[in-house]
Amino acid sequence: MHNFNSGPSILPQEVLTEAAEAIHNFNHTGLSILEIGHRTNWFGEVMTEARYLVKEFMQLGDDHEVLFLHGGATAQFMQAPMNLLDTDETAAYCDNGIWGSKAIKEARLFGNVNVVSSSKDKKHTYIPKDFFVPEDSKYLHYTTNNTVEGTQWHHIPATTVPLVADMSSDIFSRPMEFSKFALIYAGAQKNIGAAGVNLVVVKKEVLGKVKRPIPTIMDYGNHIEAGSLLNTPPVFAVYVSMLTMRWIKKEGGLEEMEKRSRQRAEFFYNALDTLPLFKPIVAIEDRSWMNAVFIIEKPELEKQFLEQCKENGMIGIKGHRSVGGLRVSMYNALPICSLEALVDLMKEFNNKFA
Ligand SMILES: *Cc1c(COP(=O)(O)O)cnc(C)c1O
C-alpha cells in the first residue's frame, strides 16, 4: 500500500513492528503495554524518554516543559486560551484555514480575539505576510501548516508578542527556533504517532497569570507538577510517539527530516507543475511540504483517477470534504518511492486524458 492519508497517517514500518510486539510482550516484561500501570517504572521510563526526545529535537532548556495530554489538538484550541487569556485581554489570531478558524471560535469563549490576518478572501490558498500585531496582544496564534488547504508558513512571524502555534501537521518535519514559542501543541496522529494524544510544549513563565479558576485537568501547571502523569495518560499512544521519535533520531533528527521533506515536496510539486491535467492551487511560496492540494483540470475525471489510485494501492488522495479536489499528504514516514509510483500513475493518466 502507498499511504497518503492526512491523519491518522503513515508511520515507520519498524515503529509498527515494535508497537505490535509491545502489545504482547512489552520490553521482555511478559506483560502487554496495554496492561501495565501508568505509574510503574516501566511506563515512567517511556514518558521520560518521550519528553526528553522532544526537548532534544527542539533544543529547549529548563524554561520549557513538555506534556502529553488527551483531547487532540482540538482540545488545545480551548485549553490554550483558558490558561493564557483573561476575559478582558486580547489575543491576536491568524485565520489561514479551517483549523485556525476553529481555534478562533474557541478563544472567543475566554477573551477578546483580534483576527490580525486572514486569507479567507482567496479561500486560504496563501499565507498573508504583511499584517500588524498590536504590542499589547496577549499572544499571537497561528497554524504552522494548514493541513486541509495545503499552505505552510516557511518562516516564523516577526512579532514581539508571545507565540502560540498549532503544529499538528508539520511537527518534527524540520528544525525551527522552537525556543521562541510560548506554547506549541500538536495532535500526534499526523507526524508523531498514534491518535489519542497531543504534544504540548509550554514556556513556564507564561503560566499562572489568568484570574479565572481553571479546572484541575485543564491547568497546564498541574500537568507540569505531575510530570505529565496527572491522571492516566494514553499509555499506548505515548509509547508509539516515543518509538517514532526514536526512529527520527536514529534516521538523523530534524535536519534529516527536513531534507527528506524538501526532496518529497520538490519531486511532487514538480510533477504537478509539469503535468497539464493536474493543477496545484496554492501560492507557490506558501506550498506545504506536508500536504499538497491540487485539482484535475477536468473535474469529471476525478472519480476515475481516484479509482485508479485505489486499484494501485494508493490511498488517502481525496481532498478534505470542505475544499474538495485532491490532497497528497507526505509526512515524515512516507518513502519517496510511494510518490514515484503515484507520479507514474499521474503521468499515464495525463497522457491519456490531457
Ligand atoms: C488534524 C489537525 C487538528 C485536529 O486534531 P485533532 O487531534 O483531531 O483534534 C488541528 N489542527 C491541525 C493543524 C490539524 O492538522
Side-chain angles (χ1 to χ4, degrees):
M1 292 295 277
H2 298 288
N3 183 351
F4 302 104
N5 279 334
S6 58
S9 41
I10 186 165
L11 288 170
Q13 201 56 46
E14 58 194 84
V15 167
L16 298 180
T17 305
E18 214 171 331
E21 166 67 20
I23 286 188
H24 295 290
N25 183 4
F26 169 65
N27 254 359
H28 313 291
T29 55
L31 293 168
S32 167
I33 180 86
L34 303 179
E35 50 184 17
I36 58 168
H38 60 290
R39 303 208 185 274
T40 56
N41 281 340
W42 293 324
F43 183 70
E45 283 173 12
V46 171
M47 183 59 99
T48 302
E49 184 173 347
R51 295 174 81 200
Y52 175 81
L53 284 170
V54 174
K55 274 206 167 178
E56 186 179 312
F57 291 164
M58 294 190 167
Q59 299 187 305
L60 299 173
D62 294 336
D63 295 345
H64 286 81
E65 288 282 352
V66 177
L67 302 171
F68 286 93
L69 305 181
H70 298 264
T74 303
Q76 293 308 309
F77 296 162
M78 161 271 295
Q79 198 169 354
M82 185 188 276
N83 278 266
L84 302 182
L85 184 64
D86 250 324
T87 317
D88 55 355
E89 292 174 328
T90 302
Y93 273 71
C94 295
D95 177 14
N96 296 143
I98 188 168
W99 296 119
S101 308
K102 286 181 193 239
I104 288 167
K105 179 167 172 256
E106 298 302 294
R108 287 198 168 119
L109 298 171
F110 298 96
N112 303 311
V113 171
N114 177 10
V115 179
V116 291
S117 147
S118 173
S119 44
K120 225 172 172 173
D121 57 339
K122 291 184 186 165
K123 292 187 175 165
H124 301 304
T125 53
Y126 75 112
I127 303 275
K129 309 297 182 306
D130 292 320
F131 55 89
F132 174 68
V133 183
E135 288 275 330
D136 61 350
S137 308
K138 195 66 188 289
Y139 58 82
L140 171 68
H141 178 284
Y142 76 112
T143 314
T144 50
N145 182 69
N146 294 288
T147 328
V148 170
E149 296 80 5
T151 61
Q152 186 176 22
W153 286 76
H154 293 291
H155 65 285
I156 296 175
T159 175
T160 52
V161 314
L163 284 167
V164 175
D166 175 358
M167 298 195 184
S168 292
S169 52
D170 65 353
I171 187 97
F172 299 154
S173 68
R174 57 180 173 178
M176 270 173 92
E177 278 183 90
F178 294 103
S179 61
K180 279 190 165 180
F181 291 81
L183 177 70
I184 293 167
Y185 60 89
Q189 70 274 20
K190 312 270 164 63
N191 229 354
I192 312 178
V197 68
N198 41 263
L199 167 64
V200 172
V201 177
V202 62
K203 197 170 191 180
K204 281 180 281 188
E205 68 174 33
V206 300
L207 298 179
K209 295 192 175 153
V210 291
K211 294 188 283 287
R212 78 173 55 85
I214 301 176
T216 308
I217 194 73
M218 288 296 143
D219 190 330
Y220 293 132
N222 292 336
H223 287 282
I224 291 171
E225 217 166 282
S228 205
L229 289 167
L230 183 62
N231 66 328
T232 316
V235 168
F236 187 65
V238 173
Y239 179 65
V240 176
S241 298
M242 189 276 281
L243 290 179
T244 308
M245 288 190 282
R246 267 189 194 165
W247 175 83
I248 291 173
K249 182 171 172 170
K250 182 179 68 94
E251 295 294 306
L254 301 196
E255 282 80 11
E256 178 64 22
M257 293 303 119
E258 179 177 40
K259 212 175 98 193
R260 293 181 193 180
S261 300
R262 180 191 291 274
Q263 205 179 11
R264 281 189 293 259
E266 279 175 359
F267 175 75
F268 192 66
Y269 284 111
N270 181 50
L272 289 179
D273 287 335
T274 46
L275 297 173
L277 192 59
F278 297 93
K279 191 174 141 205
I281 56 173
V282 160
I284 290 178
E285 70 275 17
D286 302 323
R287 286 173 173 177
S288 166
W289 291 9
M290 299 281 107
N291 316 93
V293 171
F294 57 104
I295 53 170
I296 295 192
E297 286 283 15
K298 299 173 182 165
E300 67 277 12
L301 292 174
E302 193 179 296
K303 209 170 145 225
Q304 194 179 340
F305 177 68
L306 287 170
E307 267 161 26
Q308 285 208 9
C309 289
K310 211 171 146 194
E311 275 166 30
N312 287 278
M314 300 168 184
I315 58 149
I317 297 169
K318 196 172 166 55
H320 189 272
R321 59 189 185 280
S322 66
V323 297
L326 302 163
R327 169 175 55 173
V328 163
S329 296
M330 325 179 256
Y331 296 121
N332 280 346
L334 186 78
I336 190 103
C337 66
S338 282
L339 286 171
E340 286 165 355
L342 175 61
V343 166
D344 283 346
L345 183 77
M346 287 164 66
K347 279 183 183 158
E348 221 177 275
F349 201 81
N350 178 80
N351 294 344
K352 205 155 149 198
F353 296 109

